[in-house]
Every structure is written in structure tokens, then in C-alpha cells.
Amino acid sequence: MYKYHIEGGYDMKLFCVHYAGGSATAFQFLSKILPAELEVISIELPGRGKRNASKLILNFEDACMDLVTIIKKRVDKEEKFSLLGHSMGSLLSYEIAHLLQKEKYSLSHIFLTGTKLPYQFENKSLIEVSKRNEEVIDRITKLGGTPSELLEHPYFLKMYLPVIKADFHLIGSYKYKRKRKLDIPITIINGKNDPLANNDLGKWLQLTSNKVEVLTVDGGHFFLNEQKEFLSKSICLNLKREVSICK
């Protein structure tokens, strides 16, 4: 887990959950552009980053519980906080929100980026895909965001491909279960050229009894680095009641 420290007090914590193959560093840029009152805490699954020595997780429910444990160590039930997840991280954030709401934690907002509806992630075939290097690389290439020369580099194949394959397996193990609606505001932000995105407001409204906002920006699936300012403004606008400097 990375904590990007800014001097001064904090009004709220923002826990960030990375995409498949990513790590806590995926959201490092946010600490530099978000107000000091918002503490950016980027968390990561085992087998990468500072948790590189730990065994990779292949089961979705186990991954959720792993991250929930980390979050619960950092917040009290009465303490307001928010979640941000991209792609696989958005699905993890959605399911984590259900677990934390059930335990009556004070989750204020969920930001889901590079995402589709939770039940659209259900795809058992990804477990078989995760066993074939060429197919995994082909899918990564089609999503964009990763230079082709990097995908062919021996270091990438040795160090990063196993992590991506494990995450594909993890997503493939996901089984959507109908449950009580969330009572938490949700903001969806997707790239206009993202082939995986779902921006159907009506469908998203079925998942929470609170408000939903669906936004689109220029870019593809990995638009984060191109839309840093837009993302930070969206976070501030939605958290302005809790984070004083955002007002």
C-alpha cells in the first residue's frame, strides 16, 4: 500500500484500486493535483509493487477480502471516505462497497472509471485465456495504453505478464450476484473510445438508490494520464461537502 503524504490535516481518505496488471503507482499522480485535505491512499493486490513477495490472488472474492482488510485498518466506521477504481479496480471497488455498506462503514462516494456494468464483467472464458501468453498480450494490445515494444520486451514478459495473467484469471472467477442496492453516490467516467465502457445511465441507476453521474472524456480505455485534470475536478466537485478546499 502506498500513501502519498501531503503536509497538513485531512478531511477525507480516497482509496484507489488499480487496473489489471497495475499496482499502487497507477494513481500516484492524484496526490500531486488533488487538494491537501484529501488523502490519496492507493492500495494494491499481492504479487506486485510493495507486495511483490506475496502470492498472487486468483480468486475474485479473496481479492475483495484482501483489500477490505487493508481499508478497515485505515478507517473507523464513522469516518467518511471514498473509493476510486479503474477497469478491474472499478469492479473490485463496486463489490468492496457492498461489503463495507453491509458492515455500516461511512462510504461517501464511489468513482468508477474505464468500466462497464458489474454483471458485464462476468466471463469464465478469461480463466482459459489467462493460460495463453499470446492471447493475453493480444487483448492488452487492443485496449491500448501499452507500447508494443514494451509488450515484446523480455523484462515485461518475465515481470509483468504473470501479474496480468493472474488478474485475468481473477476477473474470470467473478460471479455476479444480485443483492440489495447500494445507497452510495456513484460517478462513472469513461473514455469516449473505450470499447469496453458502458455509459447507460438507466442501467447504472438500478445499482444504487442514491444519485448516479455518467461522464465521458476524450480517450480510450486508459485515459487516466490524458485526463488528470478532468478526473481531479470530478472528484472535487463530488466531494465538496466533505473536503473544504474543494468548495
Side-chain angles (χ1 to χ4, degrees):
M1 177 177 63
Y2 287 58
K3 172 186 172 184
Y4 303 107
H5 182 68
I6 305 172
E7 293 298 328
Y10 296 111
D11 288 346
M12 179 183 282
K13 293 181 174 71
L14 174 67
F15 291 93
C16 303
V17 188
H18 58 79
Y19 43 81
S23 67
T25 58
F27 294 99
Q28 184 172 4
F29 68 90
L30 281 176
S31 64
K32 300 174 182 178
I33 55 179
L34 285 172
E37 283 76 8
L38 188 59
E39 182 180 13
V40 178
I41 303 176
S42 205
I43 56 181
E44 62 192 359
L45 291 170
R48 69 205 76 208
K50 289 191 173 182
R51 304 183 71 188
N52 185 57
S54 300
K55 187 178 180 180
L56 290 161
I57 293 178
L58 301 179
N59 178 270
F60 188 87
E61 291 186 2
D62 291 343
C64 283
M65 294 310 302
D66 178 86
L67 297 180
V68 164
T69 299
I70 293 173
I71 293 170
K72 288 166 71 172
K73 289 179 179 178
R74 299 300 305 270
V75 294
D76 298 321
K77 283 192 174 182
E78 299 76 21
E79 181 181 357
K80 291 184 178 181
F81 64 100
S82 295
L83 290 174
L84 164 64
H86 186 80
S87 195
M88 177 186 77
S90 71
L91 180 62
L92 286 164
S93 296
Y94 170 78
E95 292 294 347
I96 286 170
H98 272 285
L99 293 172
L100 293 172
Q101 178 177 271
K102 189 175 181 180
E103 294 190 40
K104 302 188 184 306
Y105 275 81
S106 303
L107 181 53
S108 294
H109 206 99
I110 314 169
F111 299 91
L112 307 179
T113 64
T115 191
K116 50 189 173 183
L117 292 155
Y119 49 81
Q120 292 180 312
F121 277 94
E122 194 168 348
N123 184 0
K124 292 181 181 179
S125 69
L126 284 178
I127 293 176
E128 289 303 314
V129 170
S130 71
K131 300 174 183 178
R132 299 188 288 269
N133 289 4
E134 289 186 3
E135 191 164 352
V136 171
I137 292 174
D138 180 61
R139 294 199 177 210
I140 296 169
T141 302
K142 288 178 179 177
L143 284 176
T146 308
S148 57
E149 58 270 22
L150 178 60
L151 294 173
E152 298 169 359
H153 198 282
Y155 182 79
F156 171 84
L157 296 174
K158 179 180 179 181
M159 299 301 296
Y160 292 98
L161 188 58
V163 178
I164 298 171
K165 290 170 66 178
D167 289 346
F168 271 43
H169 191 289
L170 186 155
I171 299 169
S173 72
Y174 175 68
K175 296 179 181 178
Y176 179 77
K177 299 176 183 177
R178 293 182 66 86
K179 52 184 79 72
R180 184 179 179 181
K181 284 185 178 183
L182 290 171
D183 185 23
I184 303 164
I186 301 175
T187 295
I188 311 298
I189 308 176
N190 284 324
K192 293 177 182 177
N193 301 318
D194 185 351
L196 301 183
N198 189 311
N199 302 312
D200 189 328
L201 176 61
K203 295 288 180 63
W204 283 106
L205 283 168
Q206 295 174 14
L207 301 179
T208 180
S209 57
N210 214 304
K211 69 175 183 177
V212 176
E213 178 183 38
V214 177
L215 305 171
T216 57
V217 295
D218 291 335
H221 187 65
F222 291 103
F223 67 85
L224 291 177
N225 288 330
E226 304 163 11
Q227 300 290 348
K228 295 176 182 178
E229 186 175 351
F230 185 94
L231 179 61
S232 64
K233 285 184 177 179
S234 296
I235 292 171
C236 275
L237 285 172
N238 281 286
L239 300 183
K240 60 184 179 181
R241 292 181 181 178
E242 286 86 10
V243 184
S244 59
I245 200 169
C246 286
K247 294 181 180 180

